[in-house]
Amino acid sequence: MTTLPEWNLDLFPSLDSKEYSDMKDTVTAETEVLRSFTDVFEQKDESRMLDAIQHYEEIQWKLLHIYAYPHMSNDVDTTNNAAKVALDQAKVLLMETENKLEWFSQSMKNMSEEMYQEYYTSTVLAPYAHMLQQTRLYKPHTLSEREEQLLSQKDLYASSAWADFHIEVASNIKFTPITVDGEQKEMNQALLGFYARSEDPEVRKQAFLSGTKGFADQSHILSYIYKQVIGSSEQDARNLRSFDSDLHRASMGDEVTVSHVEDMVEVTTQHIPLYQEYYTWKAKELGQTMLTPFDTKAPLFSKDKKPVPFEEGKSMVLKCFENFDLEMKDMAERFFDEQWIDAREGGSKYAGAYSWS
């Protein structure tokens, strides 16, 4: 039996390792060193500005590692209390460091237009032109340094905490086991999604009802969390930062306009009948007069029931990348070689999949 790969979280030896502790100390020290670059906003010096931005970038890079390590350790085992504690500590360090770095962001937004244009068009700073431009866009929506620091502290135990609580609740939902081929199987979100596509309509129905009940039992909590996060975010955007709406703020973060989003919603709405036609057609293909909720993901054609061994599947994936682009194939291969994939089923893993940037 093939052993499915699991993450090798080798960013640090362990959560209590000297390397992890040392990096946190290094971030604190380097944050103070950045203060020596205040002059670059008072007198133009492209070389020193480059050094300042790269120093700032290095701090952010290390903060990402400090935060990502306990986060991923918790995602792979949501019962890991040590990871939860380390993650909380990392969030505090992140907030404290960002507060100490707020002066740098403020200075970049508030430098004179003449100096900004010179830095923005500088060949020396060309790799960071986009960063300079995007930072500058937020000038009308940025509060004073002290106000930003206070909001950052508030968010740690307000909207951010609510979002974390949602993950905590969702990852601990107990789903009703379902019966597959006469065998009772424990369920999590990932497995429910898998069995929702089963060829067996009874299995699909069980998976749908198990998921519905699991979330329904927690709906009062999840709804309340959602309401608090949305309300806090909208209030912050409109009343504190002078955005037209929270959608305005979110659009800026994605580097699109509100009208882009509204156009996409309008086009989608216009094509709802096409979506309905598809499900009407699918119901007929499945021999139904009306498609049931648990058959929306039903396969239309019988699949080869022979399982594909993991190594064979891996070769197929890499071959597809190779036919498309050799560089992408090499990148994908690193995910296997360096154990950046966790393919194990069930357990206390957080549902879903992602690649940390």
Side-chain angles (χ1 to χ4, degrees):
M1 182 177 177
T2 304
T3 301
L4 295 176
E6 60 182 279
W7 271 346
N8 174 26
L9 300 179
D10 59 355
L11 293 172
F12 302 95
S14 67
L15 289 166
D16 58 359
S17 66
K18 185 176 184 298
E19 288 85 346
Y20 188 61
S21 177
D22 285 351
M23 185 166 284
K24 289 192 282 188
D25 292 339
T26 300
V27 162
T28 301
E30 291 184 355
T31 301
E32 295 304 316
V33 171
L34 188 63
R35 283 279 181 185
S36 65
F37 289 95
T38 55
D39 58 294
V40 297
F41 298 105
E42 300 161 3
Q43 186 173 353
K44 182 191 169 190
D45 188 328
E46 295 176 3
S47 178
R48 271 185 62 75
M49 175 58 92
L50 178 64
D51 288 343
I53 292 177
Q54 290 179 336
H55 192 85
Y56 176 81
E57 186 177 43
E58 181 73 10
I59 293 171
Q60 297 290 349
W61 183 87
K62 289 176 178 174
L63 277 174
L64 176 63
H65 282 68
I66 291 168
Y67 177 71
Y69 185 57
H71 195 300
M72 298 176 82
S73 298
N74 179 67
D75 284 353
V76 82
D77 180 7
T78 57
T79 65
N80 186 341
N81 288 325
K84 293 182 191 298
V85 171
L87 181 57
D88 287 340
Q89 293 172 343
K91 289 176 183 175
V92 171
L93 177 63
L94 191 68
M95 180 271 294
E96 291 175 345
T97 305
E98 291 294 348
N99 278 349
K100 291 176 182 177
L101 295 173
E102 181 60 31
W103 73 269
F104 189 79
S105 174
Q106 296 259 343
S107 298
M108 191 165 288
K109 293 169 187 172
N110 294 323
M111 72 174 96
S112 69
E113 182 63 24
E114 180 184 2
M115 183 175 287
Y116 164 73
Q117 289 297 336
E118 289 180 348
Y119 280 144
Y120 178 66
T121 57
S122 164
T123 54
V124 174
L125 295 168
Y128 297 97
H130 181 258
M131 175 255 201
L132 287 165
Q133 182 185 49
Q134 287 302 114
T135 302
R136 188 78 168 181
L137 287 177
Y138 283 89
K139 181 179 179 180
H141 309 290
T142 301
L143 307 178
S144 70
E145 182 177 347
R146 181 55 181 158
E147 287 171 328
E148 291 290 349
Q149 291 171 342
L150 290 172
L151 284 175
S152 178
Q153 292 176 25
K154 175 189 75 70
D155 285 345
L156 182 65
Y157 301 104
S159 57
S160 297
W162 279 117
D164 292 338
F165 184 45
H166 179 278
I167 293 174
E168 187 71 17
V169 172
S171 63
N172 284 284
I173 290 176
K174 302 300 180 185
F175 297 102
T176 307
I178 71 173
T179 302
V180 181
D181 296 330
E183 180 184 350
Q184 196 173 66
K185 291 184 175 290
E186 297 294 327
M187 287 292 104
N188 59 21
Q189 288 187 55
L191 287 174
L192 285 172
F194 174 76
Y195 286 112
R197 293 171 171 80
S198 170
E199 290 186 33
D200 186 336
E202 180 57 32
V203 171
R204 294 197 300 270
K205 182 177 180 179
Q206 288 183 72
F208 177 84
L209 294 176
S210 176
T212 301
K213 184 180 185 305
F215 282 105
D217 289 344
Q218 302 296 330
S219 62
H220 60 298
I221 297 175
L222 297 174
S223 298
Y224 186 79
I225 294 171
Y226 184 74
K227 179 181 177 182
Q228 299 307 311
V229 173
I230 293 297
S232 173
S233 188
E234 186 70 29
Q235 182 184 52
D236 180 80
R238 286 181 181 272
N239 299 342
L240 295 178
R241 302 193 176 279
S242 302
F243 287 99
D244 296 334
S245 64
D246 197 32
L247 176 59
H248 180 198
R249 173 166 64 176
S251 299
M252 275 188 65
D254 290 332
E255 298 186 40
V256 296
T257 67
V258 171
S259 63
H260 289 143
V261 179
E262 290 173 339
D263 287 346
M264 184 171 63
V265 172
E266 182 181 349
V267 170
T268 303
T269 303
Q270 289 172 354
H271 286 78
I272 285 177
L274 184 63
Y275 191 64
Q276 294 169 326
E277 286 176 23
Y278 166 72
Y279 276 133
T280 299
W281 171 83
K282 186 169 186 176
K284 291 180 180 178
E285 291 294 309
L286 293 172
Q288 302 174 359
T289 55
M290 182 179 293
L291 199 68
T292 63
F294 35 86
D295 287 330
T296 55
K297 297 179 181 178
L300 288 169
F301 308 101
S302 180
K303 302 174 184 176
D304 180 2
K305 290 187 178 291
K306 180 184 176 183
V308 176
F310 185 83
E311 288 300 319
E312 183 181 338
K314 168 185 170 182
S315 298
M316 291 166 64
V317 168
L318 293 178
K319 184 64 178 176
C320 287
F321 277 120
E322 183 179 10
N323 291 337
F324 176 67
D325 183 89
L326 287 175
E327 185 178 1
M328 287 193 71
K329 182 256 184 182
D330 291 340
M331 291 171 66
E333 200 160 30
R334 287 187 66 193
F335 277 73
F336 293 100
D337 294 344
E338 301 189 34
Q339 291 179 252
W340 294 346
I341 296 173
D342 198 307
R344 296 170 297 163
E345 290 184 6
S348 53
K349 287 170 57 179
Y350 182 61
Y354 62 80
S355 174
W356 202 292
S357 58

mmCIF file of all heavy atoms in Angstrom, residues 101-128:
data_model
loop_
_atom_site.group_PDB
_atom_site.id
_atom_site.type_symbol
_atom_site.label_atom_id
_atom_site.label_comp_id
_atom_site.label_asym_id
_atom_site.label_seq_id
_atom_site.Cartn_x
_atom_site.Cartn_y
_atom_site.Cartn_z
ATOM 1 N N LEU A 101 6.542 49.355 12.268
ATOM 2 C CA LEU A 101 6.885 49.667 10.877
ATOM 3 C C LEU A 101 5.920 50.677 10.249
ATOM 4 O O LEU A 101 6.116 51.083 9.107
ATOM 5 C CB LEU A 101 6.862 48.381 10.033
ATOM 6 C CG LEU A 101 7.891 47.303 10.363
ATOM 7 C CD1 LEU A 101 7.613 46.038 9.556
ATOM 8 C CD2 LEU A 101 9.309 47.795 10.087
ATOM 9 N N GLU A 102 4.890 51.054 10.995
ATOM 10 C CA GLU A 102 3.874 51.947 10.450
ATOM 11 C C GLU A 102 4.468 53.259 9.960
ATOM 12 O O GLU A 102 4.021 53.834 8.962
ATOM 13 C CB GLU A 102 2.790 52.205 11.500
ATOM 14 C CG GLU A 102 1.656 53.110 11.045
ATOM 15 C CD GLU A 102 0.890 52.592 9.855
ATOM 16 O OE1 GLU A 102 0.780 51.357 9.698
ATOM 17 O OE2 GLU A 102 0.405 53.419 9.057
ATOM 18 N N TRP A 103 5.515 53.736 10.632
ATOM 19 C CA TRP A 103 6.139 54.996 10.233
ATOM 20 C C TRP A 103 6.678 54.906 8.807
ATOM 21 O O TRP A 103 6.628 55.894 8.043
ATOM 22 C CB TRP A 103 7.298 55.357 11.182
ATOM 23 C CG TRP A 103 8.520 54.497 11.004
ATOM 24 C CD1 TRP A 103 8.820 53.334 11.655
ATOM 25 C CD2 TRP A 103 9.607 54.731 10.092
ATOM 26 N NE1 TRP A 103 10.015 52.823 11.203
ATOM 27 C CE2 TRP A 103 10.524 53.666 10.245
ATOM 28 C CE3 TRP A 103 9.895 55.728 9.157
ATOM 29 C CZ2 TRP A 103 11.698 53.567 9.518
ATOM 30 C CZ3 TRP A 103 11.063 55.636 8.415
ATOM 31 C CH2 TRP A 103 11.960 54.571 8.608
ATOM 32 N N PHE A 104 7.170 53.708 8.416
ATOM 33 C CA PHE A 104 7.757 53.527 7.088
ATOM 34 C C PHE A 104 6.664 53.631 6.024
ATOM 35 O O PHE A 104 6.831 54.321 5.004
ATOM 36 C CB PHE A 104 8.446 52.163 7.009
ATOM 37 C CG PHE A 104 9.269 51.957 5.773
ATOM 38 C CD1 PHE A 104 10.536 52.503 5.661
ATOM 39 C CD2 PHE A 104 8.774 51.216 4.704
ATOM 40 C CE1 PHE A 104 11.308 52.324 4.514
ATOM 41 C CE2 PHE A 104 9.524 51.030 3.562
ATOM 42 C CZ PHE A 104 10.797 51.579 3.460
ATOM 43 N N SER A 105 5.541 52.971 6.272
ATOM 44 C CA SER A 105 4.413 53.041 5.351
ATOM 45 C C SER A 105 3.876 54.462 5.258
ATOM 46 O O SER A 105 3.586 54.964 4.163
ATOM 47 C CB SER A 105 3.305 52.085 5.819
ATOM 48 O OG SER A 105 2.157 52.222 5.036
ATOM 49 N N GLN A 106 3.749 55.113 6.420
ATOM 50 C CA GLN A 106 3.253 56.496 6.447
ATOM 51 C C GLN A 106 4.182 57.429 5.675
ATOM 52 O O GLN A 106 3.737 58.284 4.904
ATOM 53 C CB GLN A 106 3.136 56.973 7.898
ATOM 54 C CG GLN A 106 2.124 56.209 8.725
ATOM 55 C CD GLN A 106 0.817 56.958 8.878
ATOM 56 O OE1 GLN A 106 0.728 58.146 8.646
ATOM 57 N NE2 GLN A 106 -0.224 56.237 9.270
ATOM 58 N N SER A 107 5.472 57.263 5.858
ATOM 59 C CA SER A 107 6.459 58.123 5.188
ATOM 60 C C SER A 107 6.406 57.939 3.678
ATOM 61 O O SER A 107 6.530 58.903 2.909
ATOM 62 C CB SER A 107 7.868 57.815 5.696
ATOM 63 O OG SER A 107 7.974 58.072 7.079
ATOM 64 N N MET A 108 6.207 56.703 3.237
ATOM 65 C CA MET A 108 6.154 56.431 1.806
ATOM 66 C C MET A 108 4.906 57.069 1.179
ATOM 67 O O MET A 108 4.942 57.554 0.047
ATOM 68 C CB MET A 108 6.174 54.922 1.571
ATOM 69 C CG MET A 108 6.377 54.523 0.132
ATOM 70 S SD MET A 108 6.821 52.781 -0.034
ATOM 71 C CE MET A 108 8.495 52.776 0.594
ATOM 72 N N LYS A 109 3.803 57.057 1.925
ATOM 73 C CA LYS A 109 2.564 57.648 1.421
ATOM 74 C C LYS A 109 2.616 59.173 1.432
ATOM 75 O O LYS A 109 2.009 59.823 0.582
ATOM 76 C CB LYS A 109 1.376 57.174 2.262
ATOM 77 C CG LYS A 109 1.076 55.694 2.141
ATOM 78 C CD LYS A 109 0.080 55.255 3.207
ATOM 79 C CE LYS A 109 -0.104 53.749 3.194
ATOM 80 N NZ LYS A 109 -0.911 53.266 4.328
ATOM 81 N N ASN A 110 3.332 59.737 2.391
ATOM 82 C CA ASN A 110 3.275 61.182 2.614
ATOM 83 C C ASN A 110 4.464 61.963 2.067
ATOM 84 O O ASN A 110 4.530 63.184 2.258
ATOM 85 C CB ASN A 110 3.140 61.461 4.115
ATOM 86 C CG ASN A 110 1.811 60.968 4.666
ATOM 87 O OD1 ASN A 110 0.786 61.053 4.007
ATOM 88 N ND2 ASN A 110 1.836 60.427 5.875
ATOM 89 N N MET A 111 5.396 61.293 1.401
ATOM 90 C CA MET A 111 6.517 62.038 0.819
ATOM 91 C C MET A 111 5.996 62.997 -0.243
ATOM 92 O O MET A 111 4.895 62.809 -0.780
ATOM 93 C CB MET A 111 7.553 61.067 0.233
ATOM 94 C CG MET A 111 7.132 60.370 -1.036
ATOM 95 S SD MET A 111 8.477 59.379 -1.754
ATOM 96 C CE MET A 111 8.094 57.763 -1.100
ATOM 97 N N SER A 112 6.753 63.998 -0.535
ATOM 98 C CA SER A 112 6.311 65.001 -1.504
ATOM 99 C C SER A 112 6.071 64.364 -2.872
ATOM 100 O O SER A 112 6.683 63.340 -3.206
ATOM 101 C CB SER A 112 7.354 66.107 -1.636
ATOM 102 O OG SER A 112 8.520 65.611 -2.278
ATOM 103 N N GLU A 113 5.200 64.960 -3.641
ATOM 104 C CA GLU A 113 4.881 64.439 -4.970
ATOM 105 C C GLU A 113 6.124 64.416 -5.857
ATOM 106 O O GLU A 113 6.334 63.470 -6.634
ATOM 107 C CB GLU A 113 3.793 65.287 -5.627
ATOM 108 C CG GLU A 113 3.347 64.803 -6.996
ATOM 109 C CD GLU A 113 2.716 63.419 -6.968
ATOM 110 O OE1 GLU A 113 2.201 63.009 -5.902
ATOM 111 O OE2 GLU A 113 2.746 62.750 -8.015
ATOM 112 N N GLU A 114 6.957 65.438 -5.712
ATOM 113 C CA GLU A 114 8.186 65.513 -6.511
ATOM 114 C C GLU A 114 9.111 64.345 -6.190
ATOM 115 O O GLU A 114 9.636 63.682 -7.087
ATOM 116 C CB GLU A 114 8.897 66.842 -6.243
ATOM 117 C CG GLU A 114 10.192 66.986 -7.044
ATOM 118 C CD GLU A 114 10.935 68.269 -6.702
ATOM 119 O OE1 GLU A 114 10.468 69.029 -5.825
ATOM 120 O OE2 GLU A 114 12.001 68.502 -7.321
ATOM 121 N N MET A 115 9.314 64.080 -4.883
ATOM 122 C CA MET A 115 10.194 62.977 -4.488
ATOM 123 C C MET A 115 9.604 61.632 -4.906
ATOM 124 O O MET A 115 10.332 60.741 -5.378
ATOM 125 C CB MET A 115 10.440 63.011 -2.975
ATOM 126 C CG MET A 115 11.410 61.942 -2.496
ATOM 127 S SD MET A 115 11.810 62.096 -0.736
ATOM 128 C CE MET A 115 12.873 63.547 -0.773
ATOM 129 N N TYR A 116 8.291 61.489 -4.756
ATOM 130 C CA TYR A 116 7.645 60.236 -5.155
ATOM 131 C C TYR A 116 7.872 59.969 -6.640
ATOM 132 O O TYR A 116 8.208 58.836 -7.041
ATOM 133 C CB TYR A 116 6.144 60.282 -4.850
ATOM 134 C CG TYR A 116 5.359 59.219 -5.574
ATOM 135 C CD1 TYR A 116 5.442 57.875 -5.195
ATOM 136 C CD2 TYR A 116 4.552 59.553 -6.669
ATOM 137 C CE1 TYR A 116 4.737 56.893 -5.890
ATOM 138 C CE2 TYR A 116 3.849 58.575 -7.359
ATOM 139 C CZ TYR A 116 3.937 57.255 -6.966
ATOM 140 O OH TYR A 116 3.254 56.285 -7.656
ATOM 141 N N GLN A 117 7.670 60.968 -7.484
ATOM 142 C CA GLN A 117 7.838 60.791 -8.924
ATOM 143 C C GLN A 117 9.279 60.417 -9.275
ATOM 144 O O GLN A 117 9.512 59.582 -10.166
ATOM 145 C CB GLN A 117 7.424 62.067 -9.665
ATOM 146 C CG GLN A 117 5.931 62.338 -9.663
ATOM 147 C CD GLN A 117 5.135 61.264 -10.383
ATOM 148 O OE1 GLN A 117 5.656 60.561 -11.249
ATOM 149 N NE2 GLN A 117 3.865 61.136 -10.035
ATOM 150 N N GLU A 118 10.231 61.005 -8.574
ATOM 151 C CA GLU A 118 11.637 60.695 -8.842
ATOM 152 C C GLU A 118 11.964 59.254 -8.454
ATOM 153 O O GLU A 118 12.676 58.548 -9.176
ATOM 154 C CB GLU A 118 12.538 61.680 -8.099
ATOM 155 C CG GLU A 118 12.498 63.092 -8.683
ATOM 156 C CD GLU A 118 13.398 64.058 -7.931
ATOM 157 O OE1 GLU A 118 13.869 63.689 -6.827
ATOM 158 O OE2 GLU A 118 13.613 65.172 -8.433
ATOM 159 N N TYR A 119 11.445 58.824 -7.311
ATOM 160 C CA TYR A 119 11.671 57.434 -6.891
ATOM 161 C C TYR A 119 10.919 56.455 -7.813
ATOM 162 O O TYR A 119 11.430 55.401 -8.183
ATOM 163 C CB TYR A 119 11.208 57.227 -5.446
ATOM 164 C CG TYR A 119 12.201 57.703 -4.400
ATOM 165 C CD1 TYR A 119 11.752 58.295 -3.211
ATOM 166 C CD2 TYR A 119 13.565 57.543 -4.583
ATOM 167 C CE1 TYR A 119 12.647 58.715 -2.238
ATOM 168 C CE2 TYR A 119 14.477 57.964 -3.625
ATOM 169 C CZ TYR A 119 14.017 58.555 -2.451
ATOM 170 O OH TYR A 119 14.913 58.973 -1.490
ATOM 171 N N TYR A 120 9.699 56.839 -8.171
ATOM 172 C CA TYR A 120 8.859 55.946 -8.978
ATOM 173 C C TYR A 120 9.454 55.714 -10.369
ATOM 174 O O TYR A 120 9.338 54.619 -10.939
ATOM 175 C CB TYR A 120 7.453 56.540 -9.102
ATOM 176 C CG TYR A 120 6.507 55.729 -9.955
ATOM 177 C CD1 TYR A 120 6.096 54.458 -9.556
ATOM 178 C CD2 TYR A 120 6.028 56.234 -11.162
ATOM 179 C CE1 TYR A 120 5.230 53.703 -10.345
ATOM 180 C CE2 TYR A 120 5.160 55.484 -11.957
ATOM 181 C CZ TYR A 120 4.768 54.224 -11.539
ATOM 182 O OH TYR A 120 3.921 53.484 -12.321
ATOM 183 N N THR A 121 10.084 56.724 -10.934
ATOM 184 C CA THR A 121 10.666 56.618 -12.281
ATOM 185 C C THR A 121 12.137 56.224 -12.259
ATOM 186 O O THR A 121 12.761 56.101 -13.314
ATOM 187 C CB THR A 121 10.515 57.956 -13.027
ATOM 188 O OG1 THR A 121 11.129 59.004 -12.250
ATOM 189 C CG2 THR A 121 9.042 58.288 -13.244
ATOM 190 N N SER A 122 12.693 55.991 -11.086
ATOM 191 C CA SER A 122 14.114 55.649 -10.958
ATOM 192 C C SER A 122 14.395 54.257 -11.520
ATOM 193 O O SER A 122 13.667 53.301 -11.246
ATOM 194 C CB SER A 122 14.518 55.692 -9.475
ATOM 195 O OG SER A 122 15.749 55.037 -9.273
ATOM 196 N N THR A 123 15.453 54.133 -12.291
ATOM 197 C CA THR A 123 15.848 52.821 -12.805
ATOM 198 C C THR A 123 16.369 51.933 -11.675
ATOM 199 O O THR A 123 16.214 50.712 -11.714
ATOM 200 C CB THR A 123 16.931 52.966 -13.886
ATOM 201 O OG1 THR A 123 18.039 53.726 -13.364
ATOM 202 C CG2 THR A 123 16.377 53.676 -15.117
ATOM 203 N N VAL A 124 16.984 52.533 -10.674
ATOM 204 C CA VAL A 124 17.499 51.782 -9.520
ATOM 205 C C VAL A 124 16.354 51.111 -8.759
ATOM 206 O O VAL A 124 16.462 49.977 -8.299
ATOM 207 C CB VAL A 124 18.287 52.715 -8.573
ATOM 208 C CG1 VAL A 124 18.699 51.978 -7.297
ATOM 209 C CG2 VAL A 124 19.515 53.276 -9.284
ATOM 210 N N LEU A 125 15.230 51.822 -8.651
ATOM 211 C CA LEU A 125 14.092 51.334 -7.882
ATOM 212 C C LEU A 125 13.015 50.685 -8.755
ATOM 213 O O LEU A 125 11.919 50.394 -8.268
ATOM 214 C CB LEU A 125 13.473 52.484 -7.086
ATOM 215 C CG LEU A 125 14.364 53.085 -6.002
ATOM 216 C CD1 LEU A 125 13.778 54.388 -5.481
ATOM 217 C CD2 LEU A 125 14.554 52.096 -4.861
ATOM 218 N N ALA A 126 13.341 50.449 -10.034
ATOM 219 C CA ALA A 126 12.353 49.892 -10.975
ATOM 220 C C ALA A 126 11.668 48.619 -10.461
ATOM 221 O O ALA A 126 10.456 48.457 -10.638
ATOM 222 C CB ALA A 126 13.006 49.636 -12.329
ATOM 223 N N PRO A 127 12.403 47.678 -9.801
ATOM 224 C CA PRO A 127 11.732 46.465 -9.316
ATOM 225 C C PRO A 127 10.654 46.744 -8.264
ATOM 226 O O PRO A 127 9.803 45.885 -8.012
ATOM 227 C CB PRO A 127 12.880 45.643 -8.709
ATOM 228 C CG PRO A 127 14.112 46.151 -9.368
ATOM 229 C CD PRO A 127 13.862 47.612 -9.567
ATOM 230 N N TYR A 128 10.684 47.938 -7.658
ATOM 231 C CA TYR A 128 9.740 48.270 -6.592
ATOM 232 C C TYR A 128 8.779 49.391 -6.989
ATOM 233 O O TYR A 128 8.070 49.933 -6.143
ATOM 234 C CB TYR A 128 10.508 48.664 -5.322
ATOM 235 C CG TYR A 128 11.354 47.523 -4.791
ATOM 236 C CD1 TYR A 128 12.708 47.439 -5.109
ATOM 237 C CD2 TYR A 128 10.792 46.526 -4.013
ATOM 238 C CE1 TYR A 128 13.480 46.380 -4.649
ATOM 239 C CE2 TYR A 128 11.552 45.469 -3.539
ATOM 240 C CZ TYR A 128 12.897 45.401 -3.865
ATOM 241 O OH TYR A 128 13.652 44.347 -3.400
#
